[in-house]
Amino acid sequence: MIVATATALLVSTLLCGAAVADDLPALRQGLWNFQRTVNGKKIESTKCTSPTEDMKKMSAKLEKSGCRLSPVKKSGNVYTYTADCSLKMPKGATLNSRSTSVLTVESDSSYRLEVNAVTDGQASKERLVAKRIGDCPK
């Protein structure tokens, strides 16, 4: 149970941008809807954000925490990257994870992300569908 929770948390963290952000496309700032499926469980949220800026910030956090991020491989509108992480948990244990992310950009207002991860031997799969739904409230 603890490994499953930690895995879901780690995958969600990796999902936000485990790539070198300079290699990713520019996505428009605004009000975004995120439909996330983690190991079959659906989670939906709406947030006023700049996905590209979020990815830059998350990449910096991951690298600072000890993750090694691969260079982004681009083919058309598809971006693929990996992250190898060895994270210290609060009670002293170490959580090891390797994830492969495939980002498919449909436009500057829509993208899909699929993340396959193995954390301490346990596989997980996450899918995110993100769409800009308008401007941020003033």
Side-chain angles (χ1 to χ4, degrees):
M1 178 68 178
I2 292 172
V3 171
T5 302
T7 299
L9 179 62
L10 182 60
V11 169
S12 293
T13 300
L14 295 173
L15 177 69
C16 294
V20 178
D22 291 341
D23 296 330
L24 294 176
L27 298 164
R28 291 178 61 196
Q29 181 176 352
L31 189 61
W32 283 77
N33 176 262
F34 299 97
Q35 295 179 359
R36 181 174 286 158
T37 305
V38 182
N39 295 328
K41 182 180 176 188
K42 295 184 179 187
I43 304 164
E44 186 171 352
S45 63
T46 302
K47 180 180 175 186
C48 187
T49 190
S50 170
T52 303
E53 289 302 312
D54 288 349
M55 290 178 192
K56 287 179 184 178
K57 289 175 188 171
M58 187 54 63
S59 290
K61 281 183 185 179
L62 287 171
E63 287 181 332
K64 191 173 185 177
S65 69
C67 293
R68 287 174 304 157
L69 310 176
S70 75
V72 175
K73 294 178 185 168
K74 181 182 179 207
S75 178
N77 66 332
V78 178
Y79 301 76
T80 305
Y81 46 92
T82 61
D84 289 299
C85 299
S86 183
L87 305 173
K88 298 284 184 203
M89 300 305 289
K91 294 189 177 188
T94 301
L95 194 65
N96 294 303
S97 180
R98 177 174 180 82
S99 68
T100 300
S101 300
V102 179
L103 174 70
T104 304
V105 178
E106 295 163 358
S107 71
D108 65 358
S109 297
S110 178
Y111 68 92
R112 292 186 324 268
L113 181 65
E114 298 204 17
V115 180
N116 290 301
V118 176
T119 304
D120 284 345
Q122 183 173 347
S124 63
K125 186 176 269 196
E126 184 164 353
R127 183 166 199 260
L128 174 76
V129 176
K131 294 187 187 298
R132 186 181 185 277
I133 55 175
D135 294 331
C136 295
K138 299 197 188 255

